């Protein structure tokens, strides 16, 4: 059995910074993709659907603002910002799931509609990455305080 390398004290903070940078960039890209998908669909005709059109446009704005916040939040604020951005992703995905199953504000979506499958992938990945990282970091902070 080969020995497992142990990160030195200097390497651990560097690895932590690299992970945080990855989460910031990938998370912002996933949020931007969520916003782009909703803008594309809004422009493609969803804007004319009662309730759904305004919600799609609100999602574009919120996803864009969240992407900027994920990129620019100060380090001490990044974990809660990441968690909130992840919750935006799961909330958006929840709206899609409702529209696919029981309907949302009288609107029913189909799995064969444009961009449904990519939306599920993007929003799921955004939730797992952002909420997972944010929750993990917040729980570490809480344990340190105890």
């Amino acid at each position: 059995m080969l020995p497992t390398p142990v990160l030195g004290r200097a390497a651990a903070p560097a690895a932590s910074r690299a992970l945080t940078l990855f989460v910031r960039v990938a998370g912002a890209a996933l949020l931007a993709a969520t916003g782009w998908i909703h803008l594309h669909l809004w422009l493609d005709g969803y804007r004319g659907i009662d309730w759904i059109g305004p919600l799609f446009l609100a999602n574009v704005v919120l996803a864009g603002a969240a992407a900027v916040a994920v990129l620019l939040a100060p380090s001490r604020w990044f974990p809660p910002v990441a968690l909130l951005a992840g919750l935006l992703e799961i909330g958006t995905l929840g709206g899609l799931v409702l529209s696919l199953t029981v309907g949302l504000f009288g609107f029913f979506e189909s799995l064969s509609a444009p961009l449904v499958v990519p939306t599920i992938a993007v929003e799921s990945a955004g939730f797992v990455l952002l909420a997972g990282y944010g929750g993990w970091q917040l729980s570490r902070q809480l344990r340190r305080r105890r």
Side-chain angles (χ1 to χ4, degrees), residues 29-125:
L30 290 164
L31 287 160
T34 294
W36 177 86
I37 288 168
H38 283 82
L39 178 61
H40 176 77
L41 292 171
W42 185 81
L43 292 170
D44 199 35
Y46 282 62
R47 68 177 156 224
I49 303 169
D50 288 338
W51 283 98
I52 301 302
L55 287 172
F56 269 50
L57 195 54
N59 190 275
V60 170
V61 172
L62 290 171
V68 170
V70 161
L71 286 173
L72 301 180
S75 295
R76 72 175 186 270
W77 289 104
F78 182 58
V81 167
L83 180 59
L84 289 171
L87 293 176
L88 172 65
E89 291 281 47
I90 198 66
T92 303
L93 182 59
L96 175 58
V97 169
L98 285 173
S99 72
L100 286 166
T101 55
V102 297
L104 184 63
F105 302 114
F107 177 74
F108 291 86
E109 189 62 87
S110 164
L111 274 173
S112 62
L115 299 175
V116 167
V117 174
T119 299
I120 292 169
V122 165
E123 292 170 358
S124 297

